[in-house]
Amino acid sequence: MTRVLIAEDQTMVLGALAALLALESDMEIVATAGDGLEALEVLEREPIDVLITDIEMPRLTGLDLAERLKEQAGAPAVIIVTTFGRPGYLRRALEAGVRGFLLKDAPAEKLADSVRRVARGERVIAPELALSAWDGGNPLTQRQRDVLRLAGEGLSTRDIGTRLHLAEGTVRNYLSEAIGALHAANRIEAFRLARQNGWL
Amino acid sequence: MTRVLIAEDQTMVLGALAALLALESDMEIVATAGDGLEALEVLEREPIDVLITDIEMPRLTGLDLAERLKEQAGAPAVIIVTTFGRPGYLRRALEAGVRGFLLKDAPAEKLADSVRRVARGERVIAPELALSAWDGGNPLTQRQRDVLRLAGEGLSTRDIGTRLHLAEGTVRNYLSEAIGALHAANRIEAFRLARQNGWL
DNA sequence: GATCGAATCTGACAAATGTCATGGTGCAGT
DNA sequence: ACTGCACCATGACATTTGTCAGATTCGATC
């Protein structure tokens, strides 16, 4: 009997996924969690074989969760199930020792199948992403990311400078570099590209 | 026996929702669809009592689908199930004669319950949104929306002008108006605000 | 310890963006 | 027919944003 924990912030999707796996006679849904912190609490008091988790959740994301578990002995095998196949996400997940990485676009049957594989020690990576993981890392430096993230919220150059304790010219420079690195035309496009690729 | 059709582009979520409703003995999942057009095809050849649909889907969105069905006689009752509780979405849905509007944040049991209610002719609106529907309509004019949408993709003023056959000054003017109408500081913030509220 | 490269900062200048004043068109109410 | 009002459209002007050349720091390599 494989003991499963599911973490997902959209309650309806969480319930639906639980219903889906509950149909499998060799699995037991021990508990469900609405975010990463709840999942950690469950893990403290229950032995879990496989943790299925979304990435984008409040308080603690699935990636942060996986990174924390990597340190611990006796941690469960982790399967990430996400909407967004951003290369940066997959890369980070692999570095966190995640054993499965699936897209919500994949057929539903794939999930139970993946749980069994991962429980056996295998790895399961969404095939459409398997290649993209190694086409280079993040093209942005730390500062470029900082600045671009704030620009994406609609802050002006001046406000970004104030927030990061930088001169306006410096902020513009980082933005310009980021725009160049991403082959974008302006800060808006640069932000969209970086976001799409999980580089922020 | 209530005959149900589900439209949702994330295959795994689709499968999970189907599994969830299949547990109910008084419902039959007649078919599932990956987008709005597929749903229309099914509706042509199968009698359906209740259509459950996501909003953001490729090719034909759930809102467009609902608007088309409004015209037709013998159309099914429609329940929208969406991630985003944007006021503009709810307003448009209500105008399209939708009978249910739920968030994916709602508990899973709520779904089967809602299907039964709308099948009986009742309306089901996510309580946290019921109020927000009437706090004023869309503050943007058609042209402001057009321009803002393109600006949000990262196009320059010049490119937007070319695309819409407008002078650059005109484009800047609409953007300026939109920025003012939304109390934003620049086009980026304006885009974010408009998007969050479903005004695009 | 000299050299190189990468990342962090900055200001001057050019280009794009935001504001404002103005005019045109169509439509509802008088 | 006239008035008021909302929306569409434009160009002149001021401000913000993007580019570029260069200075500084710090760690890796020879």
Side-chain angles (χ1 to χ4, degrees), chain B:
Chain B
M1 201 67 163
T2 307
R3 294 170 59 83
V4 179
L5 167 62
I6 310 180
E8 157 72 58
D9 63 327
Q10 294 187 342
T11 315
M12 191 169 289
V13 176
L14 174 59
L17 288 174
L20 186 69
L21 287 186
L23 299 176
E24 309 294 325
S25 54
D26 57 338
M27 293 178 201
E28 181 187 357
I29 312 296
V30 176
T32 61
D35 63 41
L37 285 185
E38 279 184 37
L40 276 181
E41 284 169 22
V42 173
L43 287 167
E44 272 177 24
R45 58 172 200 270
E46 296 272 3
I48 299 290
D49 299 315
V50 177
L51 163 64
I52 298 172
T53 180
D54 189 15
I55 290 185
E56 300 188 356
M57 296 186 294
R59 300 206 295 171
L60 188 71
T61 72
L63 286 174
D64 292 332
L65 177 58
E67 279 160 9
R68 288 209 198 181
L69 292 176
K70 183 181 167 73
E71 314 300 328
Q72 296 179 18
V78 177
I79 298 179
I80 302 259
V81 180
T82 179
T83 304
F84 307 104
R86 297 173 178 156
Y89 279 176
L90 175 54
R91 173 173 277 259
R92 229 182 117 190
L94 290 176
E95 281 164 6
V98 157
R99 298 268 278 283
F101 194 98
L102 302 179
L103 297 180
K104 285 183 183 169
D105 280 334
E109 308 79 44
K110 183 86 183 167
L111 185 59
D113 178 54
S114 299
V115 170
R116 286 192 197 93
R117 283 171 180 273
V118 302
R120 268 190 258 124
E122 296 178 39
R123 275 180 182 281
V124 183
I125 306 295
E128 57 271 49
L129 293 179
L131 283 173
S132 73
W134 297 112
D135 63 351
N138 193 324
L140 300 175
T141 70
Q142 184 58 47
R143 273 324 210 189
Q144 289 167 7
R145 269 198 296 279
D146 295 343
V147 166
L148 196 51
R149 201 168 10 229
L150 292 175
E153 315 239 332
L155 293 196
S156 68
T157 308
R158 179 194 308 275
D159 291 342
I160 296 172
T162 305
R163 196 82 80 84
L164 299 180
H165 308 292
L166 291 175
E168 283 192 49
T170 309
V171 173
R172 281 203 290 279
N173 176 248
Y174 288 138
L175 280 173
S176 182
E177 285 175 8
I179 289 165
L182 300 174
H183 307 290
N186 54 47
R187 55 177 72 189
I188 307 181
E189 194 184 351
F191 176 74
R192 289 178 68 90
L193 287 172
R195 183 152 175 61
Q196 267 177 21
N197 288 290
W199 288 328
L200 289 180

Side-chain angles (χ1 to χ4, degrees), chain A residues 68-84:
Chain A
R68 288 209 197 181
L69 292 176
K70 183 181 166 72
E71 314 299 329
Q72 297 180 16
V78 177
I79 299 179
I80 302 260
V81 180
T82 179
T83 305
F84 307 103

Side-chain angles (χ1 to χ4, degrees), chain A residues 142-157:
Chain A
Q142 183 59 46
R143 272 327 211 187
Q144 289 166 8
R145 270 198 297 278
D146 295 342
V147 166
L148 195 52
R149 201 168 9 229
L150 292 175
E153 316 237 333
L155 294 195
S156 68
T157 309

Side-chain angles (χ1 to χ4, degrees), chain A residues 156-157 172-173 176 186-187:
Chain A
S156 68
T157 309
R172 281 203 290 280
N173 176 250
S176 182
N186 54 48
R187 55 178 71 188

Side-chain angles (χ1 to χ4, degrees), chain A:
Chain A
M1 201 67 163
T2 307
R3 294 170 58 84
V4 178
L5 167 63
I6 310 180
E8 158 72 57
D9 62 329
Q10 294 187 340
T11 315
M12 192 169 288
V13 176
L14 174 59
L17 287 174
L20 186 68
L21 287 186
L23 299 176
E24 309 294 325
S25 54
D26 57 338
M27 294 178 200
E28 181 187 357
I29 311 296
V30 176
T32 61
D35 63 40
L37 284 184
E38 279 184 35
L40 276 181
E41 285 169 21
V42 174
L43 287 167
E44 272 176 24
R45 58 173 200 269
E46 296 271 2
I48 298 290
D49 299 316
V50 177
L51 163 65
I52 297 172
T53 181
D54 189 16
I55 290 184
E56 300 189 354
M57 296 185 293
R59 300 208 294 173
L60 189 70
T61 72
L63 285 174
D64 292 333
L65 177 58
E67 279 160 9
R68 288 209 197 181
L69 292 176
K70 183 181 166 72
E71 314 299 329
Q72 297 180 16
V78 177
I79 299 179
I80 302 260
V81 180
T82 179
T83 305
F84 307 103
R86 297 173 178 156
Y89 280 177
L90 175 54
R91 173 173 278 258
R92 231 183 115 189
L94 290 175
E95 281 164 6
V98 157
R99 298 268 278 284
F101 194 98
L102 301 179
L103 297 181
K104 285 183 182 169
D105 280 333
E109 308 79 44
K110 183 85 184 168
L111 184 59
D113 178 54
S114 299
V115 170
R116 286 191 197 93
R117 284 171 180 273
V118 163
R120 268 191 257 123
E122 294 178 41
R123 272 180 185 282
V124 184
I125 307 293
E128 58 270 49
L129 293 179
L131 284 173
S132 73
W134 297 112
D135 63 350
N138 193 325
L140 300 175
T141 70
Q142 183 59 46
R143 272 327 211 187
Q144 289 166 8
R145 270 198 297 278
D146 295 342
V147 166
L148 195 52
R149 201 168 9 229
L150 292 175
E153 316 237 333
L155 294 195
S156 68
T157 309
R158 179 194 308 276
D159 291 343
I160 297 172
T162 305
R163 195 82 80 86
L164 299 178
H165 308 291
L166 291 175
E168 282 192 48
T170 309
V171 174
R172 281 203 290 280
N173 176 250
Y174 287 137
L175 245 4
S176 182
E177 285 175 9
I179 290 165
L182 301 174
H183 307 291
N186 54 48
R187 55 178 71 188
I188 306 181
E189 194 184 352
F191 176 74
R192 290 179 68 91
L193 287 172
R195 184 153 177 60
Q196 267 178 21
N197 287 292
W199 287 329
L200 289 181

